[in-house]
Amino acid sequence: MIKAILIFNNHGKPRLSKFYEHYTEDTEQQIIRETFHLVSKRDENICNFLEGGLLIGGSENKLIYRHYATLYFVFCVDSSESELGILDLIQVFVETLDKCFENVCELDLIFHMDKVHNILAEMVMGGMVLETNMSEIITQVEAQNKMEKSEAGIAGAPARAVSAVKNMNLPEMPKNINIGDISIKVPNMPSFK
Amino acid sequence: MSPSARLQEMIRVIRSARTQGEERGIIQRECAEIRAQFRQGDNGVRSHSLAKLLYVHMLGYPAHFGQMECVRLIASPRYNEKRIGYLGAMMLLDEKQDASLLITNSIKNDLCHSSQYVQSLALCTLGCMGSAEMCRDLAPEIERLLRASNSYIKKKATLCAVHIIRKVPELGELFTPSARSLLSEKNHGVLHGAVVLITQLCERNPDTLGQFRKAVPELVQIMRSLVTSSYSPEHNIAGISDPFLQVRILRLLRILGHNNDSASEAMNDLLAQVATNTDSSKTAGSAVLYETVLTIMDINSESGLRVLAVNILGRFLLNNDRNIRYISMTSLQKIVQTDHNAVQRHRGTIVDCLKDQDTSVKRRALDLSLALVSAVNIRSMMKELLIFLSTCPPELRSQTASGIFNAAERYAPSKRWHIDTIMHVLTTAGGDVRDETVPNLIQLITATSELHCYTVHKLYRALLKDISHQSLVQVACWCIGEYGDLLLKGECEEIEPVEVTEDDVLDALETVLQSHMSSPATRGFALTATMKLSTRITDNVDRIRSIVSIYGSCIDLELQQRAVEYNALFKKYDHMRAAVLERMPVMDKNSPGHTNGDISGELIKESETSKSKPAETGFPSESASQKVCDLLDLLGGPDTPSPAPAITPPTTNSSAGDLLDLLGGLEPTPVVPNLTVYEKNGLTLKLQCDRQTETDVTVTLIGSNSSLSDITNFTLQAAVPKVSLKMRVRMSFSHQGTLCQDTVQIDSFPSDVLNFQPSFSPL
């Protein structure tokens, strides 16, 4: 069972925190800090498995993490999960985010936290892996987004207009019009005085 | 403004804060605004505010005032609001909150909703934070969805069922029939969920496990189709077809095949096929292969398959990817007990991993190396381990040191090697060894009398080099004190001789005494050693006298006491000094002075025979030694019988004379093994004899309480006569409020040579 999924940046600021077991709010924040502390100490070419910190279950639980550019993706799992499998799962998660957000970066995660939660909800439910097929996940997420948009009503009109313009397929406007070499005879007009 | 613009606006404002204090201020303002919007706004505004609140919650600020809003939003008919409401419920609510009960009805309604996405929201929330009551209420609904819905909902319902079973294990029976039928689904998501559900059911209930064993052929079929199928783009990860599902099925097969021959046989072929056909160049393939290996080792597989599995693990050890090396060592650790020889073949690789840069890998390699040490490879392994000890990270040092000690104790090829090894460890990692090392090493040294000269020379040299490691210094001081005369003689076969004068030795000890690095215990050792040298050296006794008198006014109480007593030995009791400071006899490892002997019947209680001996030499002797008896006579103790050579521990002497009246009329009779000598009132006394050497037998009296209530105030007295092999034991204890006293005479002791009938008589 997956106990928690955490995403935080190189300075420890949480970008996503999902707990599948109940902890108080204080404990949750402490767990995030402790995990960041443990994971940030690790070298680059060291293996991706760690024993869990004391707050999240100690040596019974493992931390499996991957470091992408400025973000750490950390899954805290117990012994019933395959460690190498979870590494692959993190990869699938990141690739799904990439497809949904188009070249995802940290800012996308910051400003669309609810969307990230929705994507995650299609992959992991109740601490168990739900779906690992990327195209299936993306299909479902897009269908749900469509449902949301259709309900948005009048309030959503400007947003839809913007996205409609973005998606509009305008023909290529030629940058310079070349009519060919026309020699225009300019008549000699007497200068007016 | 579009729905998320307000959230994004707030995020932008929060990010623009430059200090923590500024951020707190902004968040407080935003929370106030959110609260106002909750009070007055309509549902549309409410959902935006809740989204903002969830962001604030993620950053770590209190957000409990949003709980009721979640409930309200979940009840709304619009999908937008439901979605954010459910997300809020998962993040803010938990089963301890009362508000969570309020959403049960909404979830129930949503489970029957026409839109599958609303259904999925409800399932997701129930699966994440459903309490036991909610699960009980909604279980029939979930079971219905398991059977009759589209695959999207089915897979979510399956995992929801897993959560329900975790919370309320009794409901497992409700899901068992549908779980079995789910195995025939084609959709991988549903299949995956079904396997997880069946795994959970089997782990909880052994009867269900038996039922699902019949499904093994079906599972084998599914696996086979996955392994041999052609490339299918949707499930493919690095060339493996749905590795997640494969791993799950393998895990379930492991549980079903464990300790069951027929099931194991059914999967043998499949496991062989997977093991040989899977490409392990990428992580996905390695994950499947690794799971296969674990399954092979855990079921009753045939030996050829087991060898294949261990070889795969060995191949993993040579992999470049550290993750894979770490994983393979973890699993080798699990099987090293059962398949020791197979793992031994990979010993070289494992020992090489000790030099890896990764601490996690080093830790695993250390555990495994210590498990692989045997009498055959002890010398080479110890070399590697000692090199590792000098370069290993500090957190692994004490584990390495204790591991080395255990291995050395069990497999030491010679005493000299053993002593050398312990000394090496003490010089390299003296600060990380346990406290028992010092007495253990001293005991080992005294037992090896032929190496006393060699040992004391080595220790002296180590002392000259470095006095910072307390354990080494303590042992060195003790040895110099004991065997100082051998040190001064200068000659020794095993080490090049060097000229050591008495002044040199006393200088060394004084350095230890005066150094800031020495702990109080170490200084005590040094002082006693100095004192002992007064009988072993000839010229500088005055120097010793002056050292001792200086410390008579030391601030440290322990040192002061010792110095004063030694002073007294010089002045008033000079005639006794030679006898008191005699060479120590060989100590037994299990003697009560060595461990903290305990009165409640475990070992026969020892009396203090050496009250006036200096502090740390209170060990009673084991072998009958003439000098000990003379000493007792000298101290004017009561007339003690000398210990009969065939039995130990030595006799009690300073107990009151009433013991002696126990003796009388005892006749020698032959002996038998391990007998119960007393069994009454809940107290059982057993006698166990172990023959240690030709002439020594250790007799252990073990007392145990077989009744339900406590036995208190237990005292035991034992007496043995001078010549014959007998013992009288008197005990008194309180049991259930009554005081019981009894005496037992043991006429016969167990022997492994003769096999006679027991004969003892209670008096």
Side-chain angles (χ1 to χ4, degrees):
Chain A
M1 176 183 158
I2 301 176
K3 303 276 176 170
I5 297 180
L6 305 170
I7 305 180
F8 42 77
N9 70 358
N10 288 347
H11 302 293
K13 265 225 149 355
R15 295 300 174 212
L16 181 103
S17 62
K18 181 88 186 169
F19 289 88
Y20 293 101
E21 246 188 10
H22 174 62
Y23 301 100
T24 62
E25 280 177 8
D26 279 335
T27 320
E28 285 183 0
Q29 289 300 313
Q30 278 172 348
I31 289 174
I32 295 176
R33 273 197 294 273
E34 188 187 43
T35 313
F36 167 66
H37 186 66
L38 286 171
V39 160
S40 56
K41 274 196 298 193
R42 310 272 288 175
D43 225 1
E44 272 314 308
N45 49 356
I46 238 173
C47 75
N48 301 88
F49 309 122
L50 265 183
E51 310 233 304
L54 290 165
L55 287 169
I56 200 157
S59 48
E60 289 159 10
N61 294 343
K62 280 212 179 74
L63 293 173
I64 302 175
Y65 73 96
R66 273 210 131 116
H67 190 187
Y68 295 93
T70 60
L71 288 173
Y72 283 100
F73 284 71
V74 184
F75 278 46
C76 179
V77 304
D78 68 7
S79 49
S80 70
E81 295 287 336
S82 157
E83 293 99 336
L84 294 173
I86 295 289
L87 264 187
D88 272 335
L89 187 66
I90 300 181
Q91 184 69 21
V92 170
F93 182 38
V94 172
E95 281 179 21
T96 314
L97 287 177
D98 199 37
K99 280 252 167 60
C100 289
F101 282 106
E102 271 156 59
N103 290 329
V104 68
C105 64
E106 193 180 337
L107 285 176
D108 288 319
L109 298 189
I110 297 172
F111 284 100
H112 298 284
M113 181 195 97
D114 48 345
K115 288 214 180 51
V116 181
H117 268 282
N118 294 333
I119 295 174
L120 188 59
E122 289 298 321
M123 287 184 67
V124 179
M125 189 177 116
M128 319 291 306
V129 176
L130 176 63
E131 179 66 61
T132 54
N133 182 348
M134 212 160 54
S135 45
E136 174 74 20
I137 300 170
I138 294 176
T139 320
Q140 300 302 336
V141 168
E142 279 177 2
Q144 293 177 10
N145 287 344
K146 227 183 260 169
M147 255 191 87
E148 261 199 42
K149 282 204 187 92
S150 65
E151 272 192 358
I154 298 176
R160 282 189 297 181
V162 168
S163 52
V165 168
K166 251 205 259 179
N167 293 338
M168 191 160 62
N169 228 346
L170 295 170
E172 268 289 347
M173 288 290 285
K175 295 255 169 15
N176 50 349
I177 304 177
N178 200 351
I179 323 177
D181 218 20
I182 303 178
S183 49
I184 300 181
K185 279 209 175 76
V186 180
N188 243 332
M189 307 281 272
S191 51
F192 291 98
K193 284 221 196 34
Chain B
M1 255 206 212
S2 75
S4 14
R6 288 191 200 138
L7 169 65
Q8 290 170 354
E9 189 52 47
M10 183 193 81
I11 296 177
R12 218 166 276 139
V13 171
I14 294 177
R15 277 167 62 79
S16 64
R18 264 161 306 185
T19 67
Q20 188 75 6
E22 214 179 312
E23 182 182 289
R24 258 194 300 256
I26 295 175
I27 291 194
Q28 263 179 340
R29 275 201 309 276
E30 290 290 340
C31 284
E33 203 182 301
I34 291 173
R35 261 188 273 240
Q37 283 172 342
F38 280 161
R39 268 196 299 267
Q40 40 152 236
D42 61 27
N43 264 2
V45 173
R46 221 180 280 266
S47 61
H48 305 151
S49 311
L50 187 59
K52 289 199 273 186
L53 186 60
L54 291 179
Y55 183 80
V56 164
H57 170 78
M58 182 183 76
L59 289 180
Y61 296 92
H64 43 270
F65 54 89
Q67 284 166 2
M68 283 312 291
E69 306 310 314
C70 300
V71 178
R72 241 171 254 147
L73 282 172
I74 289 174
S76 149
R78 290 163 65 88
Y79 179 70
N80 262 341
E81 288 152 23
K82 266 198 211 286
R83 198 182 207 190
I84 199 82
Y86 274 118
L87 181 62
M90 280 194 275
M91 286 179 72
L92 298 178
L93 291 177
D94 63 83
E95 44 197 66
K96 298 201 181 50
Q97 252 50 293
D98 296 324
S100 63
L101 286 174
L102 297 172
I103 62 175
T104 314
N105 212 24
S106 300
I107 294 184
K108 198 176 203 158
N109 291 338
D110 283 337
L111 282 175
C112 314
H113 203 275
S114 49
S115 158
Q116 64 172 2
Y117 298 112
V118 175
Q119 282 179 313
S120 88
L121 283 177
L123 283 169
C124 190
T125 310
L126 182 63
C128 282
M129 45 77 69
S131 67
E133 291 88 36
M134 287 165 74
C135 291
R136 256 187 269 261
D137 278 340
L138 298 168
E141 276 300 311
I142 305 295
E143 206 268 331
R144 187 182 60 81
L145 287 172
L146 259 186
R147 276 182 286 114
S149 48
N150 61 25
S151 45
Y152 179 66
I153 294 297
K154 258 194 208 164
K155 80 180 176 208
K156 295 213 171 187
T158 322
L159 287 188
C160 200
V162 174
H163 176 87
I164 291 177
I165 295 173
R166 264 207 215 111
K167 285 279 176 204
V168 189
E170 300 89 53
L171 289 172
E173 291 150 12
L174 180 61
F175 294 108
T176 311
S178 6
R180 180 68 204 269
S181 54
L182 281 173
L183 277 182
S184 39
E185 289 281 328
K186 289 278 169 266
N187 181 303
H188 279 215
V190 181
L191 213 44
H192 187 270
V195 175
V196 173
L197 178 60
I198 296 175
T199 314
Q200 186 71 215
L201 286 168
C202 292
E203 277 172 356
R204 300 260 164 188
N205 191 336
D207 297 324
T208 331
L209 178 62
Q211 272 181 307
F212 276 112
R213 280 221 179 90
K214 302 194 195 87
V216 169
E218 224 175 312
L219 290 166
V220 168
Q221 188 50 41
I222 299 174
M223 261 309 279
R224 222 184 278 271
S225 60
L226 281 174
V227 171
T228 54
S229 69
S230 52
Y231 178 80
S232 78
E234 40 180 49
H235 299 299
N236 188 278
I237 293 187
I240 311 282
S241 181
D242 207 344
F244 297 99
L245 184 58
Q246 289 194 29
V247 164
R248 283 269 175 232
I249 294 180
L250 283 167
R251 212 172 259 260
L252 178 57
L253 285 175
R254 189 183 335 159
I255 296 175
L256 293 175
H258 184 68
N259 272 346
N260 184 298
D261 284 325
S262 49
S264 308
E265 224 180 285
M267 16 176 137
N268 263 328
D269 288 333
L270 170 72
L271 292 172
Q273 192 181 8
V274 176
T276 39
N277 284 353
T278 312
D279 166 32
S280 64
S281 50
K282 291 281 171 71
T283 313
S286 306
V288 173
L289 212 48
Y290 176 66
E291 207 64 38
T292 316
V293 166
L294 288 181
T295 305
I296 293 176
M297 301 314 291
D298 217 24
I299 64 175
N300 302 356
S301 50
E302 45 189 40
S303 57
L305 208 50
R306 286 181 96 87
V307 170
L308 176 63
V310 177
N311 285 346
I312 293 178
L313 284 179
R315 235 179 36 228
F316 275 172
L317 275 181
L318 299 166
N319 197 308
N320 281 332
D321 189 346
R322 273 209 181 80
N323 294 331
I324 295 180
R325 268 187 284 171
Y326 177 90
I327 299 281
S328 65
M329 280 200 274
T330 317
S331 39
L332 282 173
Q333 182 83 27
K334 289 188 205 137
I335 64 175
V336 75
Q337 306 298 334
T338 45
D339 293 78
H340 192 90
N341 293 330
V343 183
Q344 278 281 4
R345 258 182 255 135
H346 303 284
R347 186 165 46 91
T349 327
I350 295 171
V351 167
D352 279 335
C353 285
L354 280 173
K355 304 189 189 93
D356 199 301
Q357 294 197 353
D358 184 337
T359 322
S360 315
V361 170
K362 271 200 223 199
R363 195 189 294 263
R364 290 273 160 257
L366 175 67
D367 286 338
L368 212 46
S369 306
L370 289 173
L372 285 177
V373 172
S374 73
V376 181
N377 55 32
I378 178 75
R379 279 188 198 264
S380 46
M381 285 296 281
M382 197 49 81
K383 246 188 265 170
E384 296 289 340
L385 286 171
L386 288 173
I387 295 174
F388 176 66
L389 185 63
S390 45
T391 53
C392 78
E395 59 262 18
L396 291 178
R397 272 228 184 103
S398 70
Q399 191 187 351
T400 318
S402 35
I404 290 179
F405 284 149
N406 284 341
E409 203 168 301
R410 281 160 66 190
Y411 302 114
S414 74
K415 290 264 189 230
R416 180 177 156 176
W417 182 93
H418 194 175
I419 291 179
D420 278 342
T421 310
I422 299 188
M423 277 193 56
H424 193 137
V425 173
L426 286 179
T427 37
T428 338
D432 297 296
V433 298
R434 287 201 314 266
D435 295 330
E436 303 94 71
T437 321
V438 173
N440 280 345
L441 181 55
I442 289 180
Q443 187 267 327
L444 182 65
I445 291 176
T446 52
T448 328
S449 43
E450 63 272 16
L451 287 176
H452 282 165
C453 191
Y454 166 77
T455 316
V456 74
H457 271 273
K458 263 204 105 161
L459 284 169
Y460 174 68
R461 270 170 227 198
L463 193 65
L464 287 181
K465 262 195 244 146
D466 179 16
I467 57 170
S468 57
H469 295 298
Q470 297 307 300
S471 10
L472 186 62
V473 173
Q474 285 173 5
V475 176
C477 288
W478 192 92
C479 283
I480 293 176
E482 271 297 296
Y483 310 118
D485 45 337
L486 294 174
L487 185 61
L488 293 167
K489 252 192 266 168
E491 56 190 59
C492 181
E493 328 81 62
E494 316 221 355
I495 218 172
E496 333 95 53
V498 76
E499 187 65 40
V500 181
T501 67
E502 298 180 357
D503 273 318
D504 291 334
V505 178
L506 288 173
D507 281 339
L509 287 176
E510 238 183 318
T511 320
V512 174
L513 264 175
Q514 290 165 349
S515 161
H516 293 299
M517 290 191 277
S518 306
S519 70
T522 315
R523 293 168 85 194
F525 269 89
L527 188 61
T528 307
T530 316
M531 186 60 194
K532 282 197 216 168
L533 282 178
S534 69
T535 47
R536 289 157 175 70
I537 64 177
T538 45
D539 298 331
N540 287 6
V541 185
D542 286 331
R543 186 173 165 188
I544 296 182
R545 233 188 280 256
S546 60
I547 295 177
V548 162
S549 59
I550 289 174
Y551 278 88
S553 46
C554 174
I555 285 186
D556 185 290
L557 201 58
E558 171 74 22
L559 282 180
Q560 194 190 94
Q561 180 179 356
R562 289 187 189 210
V564 164
E565 288 177 3
Y566 296 157
N567 246 337
L569 259 186
F570 268 123
K571 299 212 168 66
K572 224 165 96 177
Y573 297 97
D574 205 34
H575 56 285
M576 281 214 272
R577 188 160 52 92
V580 169
L581 298 177
E582 273 283 333
R583 202 50 83 82
M584 287 281 294
V586 177
M587 285 175 265
D588 177 33
K589 223 174 174 163
N590 298 323
S591 66
H594 199 84
T595 59
N596 273 328
D598 167 60
I599 306 181
S600 56
E602 279 248 355
L603 294 171
I604 296 187
K605 181 172 181 229
E606 295 301 330
S607 67
E608 281 99 47
T609 55
S610 47
K611 290 195 191 70
S612 67
K613 274 194 177 176
E616 96 275 273
T617 58
F619 306 113
S621 61
E622 187 200 35
S623 50
S625 127
Q626 196 59 31
K627 296 196 178 125
V628 173
C629 281
D630 287 345
L631 184 58
L632 294 175
D633 286 346
L634 197 62
L635 293 173
D639 222 354
T640 57
S642 64
I647 69 164
T648 53
T651 62
T652 60
N653 66 336
S654 58
S655 312
D658 53 314
L659 262 189
L660 297 176
D661 61 69
L662 288 182
L663 303 172
L666 300 174
E667 265 96 51
T669 30
V671 293
V672 288
N674 207 354
L675 72 127
T676 305
V677 297
Y678 179 80
E679 203 166 329
K680 227 199 267 182
N681 290 331
L683 175 69
T684 315
L685 287 179
K686 281 201 184 71
L687 203 65
Q688 189 178 315
C689 291
D690 301 296
R691 188 171 280 275
Q692 305 280 31
T693 70
E694 281 303 306
T695 51
D696 289 329
V697 175
T698 307
V699 176
T700 311
L701 196 70
I702 302 167
S704 54
N705 178 3
S706 55
S707 71
L708 293 171
S709 49
D710 290 336
I711 289 182
T712 52
N713 300 329
F714 179 78
T715 54
L716 188 97
Q717 291 167 325
V720 287
K722 271 192 204 194
V723 195
S724 50
L725 272 173
K726 281 170 177 296
M727 188 190 288
R728 240 175 241 192
V729 176
R730 180 195 286 171
M731 67 222 82
S732 82
F733 54 95
S734 304
H735 180 240
Q736 287 171 342
T738 52
L739 181 70
C740 311
Q741 275 180 332
D742 220 332
T743 314
V744 156
Q745 174 179 329
I746 304 163
D747 295 328
S748 48
F749 281 84
S751 146
D752 51 359
V753 178
L754 307 165
N755 200 3
F756 287 78
Q757 293 299 311
S759 70
F760 57 90
S761 45
L763 293 174

